[in-house]
Amino acid sequence: MQNCIIHGDIFYTPEKDRSVSAPDSSLVIENGKIKGCFREIPEEFSSFRLLDCSGRLVIPALYDLHVHASQYQFRGLWMDEELLSWLNEHTFPEEAKYKDIKYAQKAYSIFAEDLYRSATARACIFATIHKDSSILLCSMLDELSMPCFVGKVNMDRNSPSILVEDTDESINETLSYVNEVSERFTYVKPIITPRFIPSCSDRLSSALARIAEDENLPVQSHLSENLSEVDWVKELCPQSESYADAYRMLGFMGKQKTVMAHCVHSLGREEEILKNENIYIAHCPDSNTNLTSGIMPARYFLDNGYRIGLGSDVAGGVSLSIFRAITDAVKVSKLYCRLVDPSFRALSFNEAFYIATKLGGSFFGRTGSFEEGYEADVVVLDDSSVSSTVQDLSVAERLERYAYLESDKPVIHKIVGGKILF
Amino acid sequence: MQNCIIHGDIFYTPEKDRSVSAPDSSLVIENGKIKGCFREIPEEFSSFRLLDCSGRLVIPALYDLHVHASQYQFRGLWMDEELLSWLNEHTFPEEAKYKDIKYAQKAYSIFAEDLYRSATARACIFATIHKDSSILLCSMLDELSMPCFVGKVNMDRNSPSILVEDTDESINETLSYVNEVSERFTYVKPIITPRFIPSCSDRLSSALARIAEDENLPVQSHLSENLSEVDWVKELCPQSESYADAYRMLGFMGKQKTVMAHCVHSLGREEEILKNENIYIAHCPDSNTNLTSGIMPARYFLDNGYRIGLGSDVAGGVSLSIFRAITDAVKVSKLYCRLVDPSFRALSFNEAFYIATKLGGSFFGRTGSFEEGYEADVVVLDDSSVSSTVQDLSVAERLERYAYLESDKPVIHKIVGGKILF
């Protein structure tokens, strides 16, 4: 960890309706934490290493609260399929390949490298049911100094024979996975990962909830993504009042820090359970569109103090880019207003950026902002190919345009937890 | 014009539910027209110039049926604004700048160059009310051998003082524009371009309709983009039965070949008028989302034999890429099914590609397919950065992935009307 100063055109969003722009300024990082933004570098920091990024955009790194590393190899393919055929024809057979550690080596190294080059600093990642290849993924990300939560997935029912575990084996492998990851790695941490209620028996789910509590681990899963899934859970857990309530009855939902992907159909059903301060909602707008799930009411959750972040949800979403998730979140919120509830306002760019940085980032700690004391997660962007040559743009305007037009471009510098990755 | 052969991985869609894939094959172009796709090059063509694009995707070029060249400089900016403030605060002031020919020179040259490098072969383009800068745009595109329709825009009412014409002046300038463009240019043709009913007096509209008929020119405008606009037209033309009917009463709608952008709110109001075989609908999904207009029922128009094409509608849409319009059309059609009418099926990738090529392309003639006799509009794509290294993908799968992930990348070769542009 090295003290440093990044000079450039700085932008961040300390609140959902407030942004700070500091063109031609210096961001000071001391002991891995943000010290502040300065027009002139104070004397006391003058010995810090200077990263001169003049003319570049300097912003908080982004956070991906929901991504399937094992689906990365088929991103942007088969988007015509409905959810069930998409899962059965493509997703499950692809995930089954990760039993082969050689395949995992080849495929996960591409995922890890692309995540590393992207604007994402930290992520909540689904691997597959296979312990060894899941640990391999952890080792690759740890090598790259990426502080991610990686979950070995659990599935012991309603799953194809190529991708299903015996209940006891699933529990034991999870314990073994948790121990090995916790011991071996510096940056990567384990996260308990029941795929979703339909694919985990009550006994497995309860055991996983106990492991999370005993080992003080976070939890990630899927919630209320589409209506037939919601109905299915009601059948599987007839005594539950909602999908979220079914998780709660099994020992989940808020004892441990938890991230639930989607919540497209939670309003009027289970929003009270989601209010728990340990629960994060991963909003995955591209996936919800591609799989015809619907639109999550982001405005409701944001205005009512819920904790939400953005998720790429590769490969339901086509791209790892959280810039895409930002602009997609704005876009679908407009269609929500137009087609579902005109009393809701669309998300602004600033609000979506705030969700992608400070709000979603809080899942990982005090990250996602340039306020003093925040962990220094920073990316530097080259927007020269889209910064206009015919008019002067503000820093905020340049960032908006970059997000809309250059979302998938690798960043030019990335600092995570104060460490300069490149 | 040179006879040539392009060797590569060929894909095209002769029908909405049928595609042709010809990996490692040769596309023969003779006298500017497609001769056919061959596994082995027949002896009679062996002297043709060979463009070896082995391993590259070779597809019909795309068509943009609705784009505002004068809005290109602020694409991807101010997307939080509502339509009216977006027009008044940003769009109209920007368009007013094109009175200055020096500004037009700088701005239009960026637009023309980017359109040239894109996958779009031909486009229907709005300039501004200013004759001289509109002709300058025509000259740039003509120099680049891009066979586009470019319209000098007409506006004589309900417009800001910086962007409004006297009625007689508007008519005379249009006549003079049409004459000069028709005489001077080889590839670029004029198109009559009333902005939309609210900004054109009845006298101006009627005169423009007459010019279109007398000079046998196509017409482009906007139709039923958003509901308050539809209401406004009803106020302005109380005797009309619909927005489309208002155009009809003024002398438009089908006497000449016509392209109407948007038609988001046409169903149940005016779809019978749109059935006229001279009318094309420009579907602009990104713009309709960004400006909270809604979703056009593409499935209805496609299945019922209407003529539709895709439009980027920069800068309501953020990007010139018609690949983006293809994937956006698929995406919003899914949300339409989910949120508006579950009896509609989503568009498939093949259908959206067919709309972007053969169906939309028919506005310009026999273009957009690789069937024998079609004008040769071809682009070659380098998809090496997204073609997987862990699995074999079909030509169709590679194209789908390219459209979703590499939409804004310049193409590597472009042939328009049989002429190799690069």
Side-chain angles (χ1 to χ4, degrees):
Chain A
M1 198 103 65
Q2 204 182 359
N3 294 333
C4 77
I5 294 171
I6 308 170
H7 186 90
D9 300 324
I10 297 167
F11 179 92
Y12 64 103
T13 48
E15 291 165 58
K16 69 183 163 77
D17 45 12
R18 188 167 70 85
S19 66
V20 176
S21 291
D24 202 20
S25 294
S26 294
L27 180 72
V28 175
I29 299 171
E30 191 181 33
N31 299 323
K33 300 225 159 38
I34 300 293
K35 196 71 196 169
C37 295
F38 303 92
R39 286 289 301 181
E40 301 292 331
I41 301 169
E43 182 56 32
E44 59 187 301
F45 308 123
S46 58
S47 66
F48 286 14
R49 174 182 171 190
L50 177 69
L51 228 57
D52 185 0
C53 303
S54 297
R56 305 299 186 216
L57 294 170
V58 180
I59 63 164
L62 311 180
Y63 302 99
D64 189 343
L65 260 55
H66 186 67
V67 56
H68 294 263
S70 52
Q71 296 175 11
Y72 190 60
Q73 298 310 317
F74 65 88
R75 70 200 182 284
L77 292 176
W78 314 312
M79 301 311 302
D80 289 347
E81 305 276 352
E82 302 278 331
L83 179 63
L84 278 185
S85 63
W86 182 80
L87 283 170
N88 291 318
E89 300 292 316
H90 302 295
T91 307
F92 291 151
E94 173 69 16
E95 289 195 17
K97 293 184 193 165
Y98 287 79
K99 188 178 177 183
D100 173 5
I101 198 84
K102 279 195 200 134
Y103 183 82
Q105 171 74 42
K106 209 155 54 163
Y108 278 150
S109 64
I110 298 171
F111 168 81
E113 175 67 21
D114 286 0
L115 187 67
Y116 181 72
R117 295 282 156 204
S118 80
T120 298
R122 305 168 195 241
C124 295
I125 301 173
F126 279 56
T128 61
I129 59 171
H130 313 96
K131 188 189 74 174
D132 292 346
S133 62
S134 301
I135 289 177
L136 178 66
L137 173 60
C138 294
S139 73
M140 289 173 180
L141 293 166
D142 202 64
E143 190 73 32
L144 295 168
S145 308
M146 294 279 293
C148 294
F149 290 109
V150 177
K152 175 217 156 317
V153 177
N154 300 94
M155 305 165 71
D156 74 338
R157 68 170 176 184
N158 296 319
S159 302
S161 59
I162 48 168
L163 203 66
V164 68
E165 302 166 293
D166 166 77
T167 306
D168 287 320
E169 188 200 350
S170 181
I171 295 167
N172 291 334
E173 290 282 276
T174 302
L175 279 167
S176 154
Y177 172 82
V178 163
N179 288 337
E180 187 168 343
V181 174
S182 303
E183 272 169 29
R184 270 183 60 187
F185 301 121
T186 310
Y187 299 98
V188 173
K189 307 285 175 205
I191 184 167
I192 297 300
T193 308
R195 187 176 199 117
F196 66 152
I197 283 187
S199 64
C200 295
S201 67
D202 290 1
R203 186 160 79 83
L204 176 57
S205 289
S206 302
L208 294 173
R210 226 167 19 245
I211 295 172
E213 211 173 337
D214 292 348
E215 309 282 333
N216 192 22
L217 295 175
V219 175
Q220 63 182 351
S221 195
H222 299 89
L223 180 63
S224 297
E225 180 174 2
N226 80 47
L227 288 171
S228 51
E229 174 207 19
V230 172
D231 291 344
W232 193 12
V233 171
K234 183 72 200 163
E235 264 174 55
L236 291 166
C237 310
Q239 67 281 53
S240 65
E241 286 174 17
S242 65
Y243 195 160
D245 189 48
Y247 277 119
R248 196 191 50 74
M249 292 170 68
L250 292 160
F252 295 114
M253 301 310 276
K255 281 186 198 154
Q256 299 307 121
K257 192 182 282 190
T258 300
V259 56
M260 285 288 169
H262 307 308
C263 301
V264 172
H265 304 286
S266 293
L267 224 60
R269 287 189 172 88
E270 58 197 5
E271 70 266 30
E272 280 312 308
I273 296 180
L274 298 178
K275 266 238 150 162
N276 185 303
E277 64 179 18
N278 268 331
I279 297 178
Y280 281 71
I281 299 169
H283 178 28
C284 308
D286 190 39
S287 170
N288 298 157
T289 298
N290 290 326
L291 298 176
T292 321
S293 304
I295 302 176
M296 195 197 82
R299 164 65 56 205
Y300 176 87
F301 291 125
L302 181 67
D303 283 1
N304 291 284
Y306 291 73
R307 283 144 298 278
I308 59 180
L310 297 182
S312 66
D313 195 22
V314 161
V318 299
S319 159
L320 277 183
S321 170
I322 297 300
F323 284 122
R324 269 209 209 206
I326 290 172
T327 56
D328 285 338
V330 171
K331 287 178 193 216
V332 298
S333 77
K334 290 173 176 174
L335 291 176
Y336 192 92
C337 301
R338 181 69 202 77
L339 301 175
V340 182
D341 188 342
S343 75
F344 280 25
R345 271 181 312 116
L347 292 184
S348 67
F349 180 80
N350 200 88
E351 288 171 325
F353 188 77
Y354 169 80
I355 294 169
T357 53
K358 188 174 173 183
L359 187 53
S362 65
F363 186 85
F364 302 93
R366 251 184 125 217
T367 59
S369 182
F370 289 163
E371 293 154 87
E372 190 174 352
Y374 272 67
E375 286 200 61
D377 289 359
V378 187
V379 289
V380 180
L381 314 174
D382 175 5
D383 71 325
S384 55
S385 62
V386 293
S387 57
S388 175
T389 55
V390 297
Q391 53 194 329
D392 289 329
L393 298 179
S394 70
V395 177
E397 287 169 336
R398 284 167 53 201
L399 178 62
E400 181 182 12
R401 174 173 272 187
Y402 185 95
Y404 275 100
L405 294 174
E406 298 279 273
S407 57
D408 291 278
K409 208 165 137 179
V411 301
I412 58 175
H413 290 294
K414 185 167 179 172
I415 290 103
V416 181
K419 181 173 179 181
I420 302 173
L421 303 193
F422 56 86
Chain B
M1 197 102 63
Q2 204 181 359
N3 294 334
C4 77
I5 294 171
I6 308 169
H7 186 89
D9 299 324
I10 297 167
F11 180 91
Y12 63 103
T13 48
E15 290 166 57
K16 70 182 163 74
D17 46 10
R18 188 167 70 86
S19 66
V20 176
S21 290
D24 202 21
S25 294
S26 295
L27 181 70
V28 176
I29 299 170
E30 190 182 33
N31 299 323
K33 301 226 160 38
I34 301 292
K35 196 72 196 169
C37 295
F38 304 91
R39 288 289 301 182
E40 302 291 332
I41 301 169
E43 181 57 34
E44 57 186 302
F45 309 123
S46 59
S47 66
F48 286 16
R49 174 180 170 189
L50 177 70
L51 228 57
D52 184 2
C53 303
S54 298
R56 306 300 187 215
L57 294 170
V58 179
I59 63 165
L62 311 180
Y63 302 98
D64 189 343
L65 259 55
H66 186 67
V67 56
H68 293 262
S70 52
Q71 296 175 10
Y72 190 62
Q73 298 310 315
F74 65 88
R75 70 199 183 284
L77 291 175
W78 314 313
M79 302 310 304
D80 289 348
E81 307 276 353
E82 302 278 332
L83 179 64
L84 278 185
S85 63
W86 183 81
L87 283 171
N88 291 318
E89 300 292 317
H90 302 295
T91 308
F92 291 150
E94 173 69 16
E95 288 195 18
K97 292 184 194 166
Y98 288 79
K99 186 177 178 184
D100 173 7
I101 198 87
K102 279 194 201 132
Y103 184 81
Q105 170 74 41
K106 207 155 55 166
Y108 279 150
S109 65
I110 298 171
F111 168 82
E113 175 68 19
D114 287 0
L115 187 68
Y116 181 72
R117 295 281 156 205
S118 80
T120 298
R122 306 167 195 240
C124 295
I125 301 174
F126 279 57
T128 61
I129 60 170
H130 313 96
K131 187 188 75 175
D132 291 347
S133 62
S134 301
I135 289 176
L136 178 65
L137 172 61
C138 293
S139 74
M140 289 173 179
L141 293 166
D142 202 66
E143 190 72 30
L144 294 168
S145 309
M146 294 280 292
C148 294
F149 289 109
V150 177
K152 173 217 158 316
V153 178
N154 299 93
M155 306 165 71
D156 74 338
R157 67 172 177 183
N158 297 318
S159 303
S161 58
I162 49 168
L163 203 67
V164 67
E165 302 166 293
D166 166 77
T167 305
D168 287 320
E169 188 200 349
S170 182
I171 296 167
N172 291 334
E173 289 283 276
T174 302
L175 280 168
S176 150
Y177 173 82
V178 163
N179 288 337
E180 187 167 343
V181 174
S182 303
E183 273 169 28
R184 268 182 62 185
F185 302 120
T186 309
Y187 299 97
V188 173
K189 306 285 175 203
I191 183 167
I192 295 300
T193 307
R195 188 176 199 114
F196 66 152
I197 283 187
S199 64
C200 295
S201 66
D202 289 2
R203 185 159 78 85
L204 176 56
S205 288
S206 302
L208 294 173
R210 226 169 17 247
I211 295 172
E213 211 174 337
D214 291 348
E215 308 283 332
N216 193 21
L217 296 174
V219 175
Q220 62 181 351
S221 195
H222 299 88
L223 179 63
S224 297
E225 180 173 4
N226 80 48
L227 288 172
S228 49
E229 175 207 18
V230 172
D231 290 343
W232 194 12
V233 170
K234 184 71 201 165
E235 263 175 54
L236 291 167
C237 311
Q239 67 282 50
S240 66
E241 284 173 20
S242 66
Y243 195 160
D245 189 47
Y247 276 119
R248 196 192 50 75
M249 291 170 68
L250 292 160
F252 295 113
M253 302 310 278
K255 281 187 199 153
Q256 299 306 121
K257 192 182 281 190
T258 298
V259 58
M260 284 287 169
H262 307 308
C263 302
V264 172
H265 304 286
S266 294
L267 224 59
R269 286 189 173 89
E270 58 197 5
E271 70 267 29
E272 281 311 310
I273 295 180
L274 298 178
K275 268 238 149 164
N276 184 303
E277 66 178 16
N278 268 331
I279 296 178
Y280 282 71
I281 298 169
H283 178 28
C284 308
D286 190 40
S287 170
N288 297 156
T289 298
N290 290 325
L291 298 176
T292 321
S293 304
I295 301 175
M296 195 197 84
R299 165 64 57 206
Y300 176 86
F301 291 124
L302 182 65
D303 284 0
N304 290 283
Y306 291 74
R307 283 143 299 275
I308 59 181
L310 297 182
S312 66
D313 194 20
V314 162
V318 300
S319 158
L320 276 183
S321 169
I322 297 299
F323 283 121
R324 271 209 207 206
I326 289 172
T327 57
D328 285 337
V330 171
K331 287 179 192 216
V332 299
S333 78
K334 291 174 176 174
L335 291 176
Y336 192 93
C337 300
R338 182 69 201 78
L339 302 175
V340 183
D341 188 341
S343 75
F344 280 27
R345 270 180 312 117
L347 291 183
S348 68
F349 180 80
N350 200 89
E351 287 171 326
F353 189 78
Y354 169 80
I355 293 170
T357 53
K358 188 174 172 183
L359 187 54
S362 65
F363 185 84
F364 301 93
R366 251 185 125 213
T367 59
S369 182
F370 289 162
E371 294 154 86
E372 189 175 353
Y374 272 68
E375 285 200 61
D377 289 358
V378 187
V379 288
V380 180
L381 313 175
D382 174 5
D383 70 326
S384 55
S385 61
V386 293
S387 58
S388 176
T389 56
V390 298
Q391 53 195 330
D392 289 329
L393 299 179
S394 69
V395 176
E397 288 169 335
R398 285 166 53 200
L399 178 63
E400 181 183 13
R401 173 173 271 187
Y402 185 95
Y404 274 100
L405 294 174
E406 298 279 274
S407 56
D408 291 279
K409 208 165 135 179
V411 299
I412 57 174
H413 290 293
K414 186 167 179 172
I415 291 103
V416 181
K419 181 172 180 181
I420 301 173
L421 303 194
F422 56 88

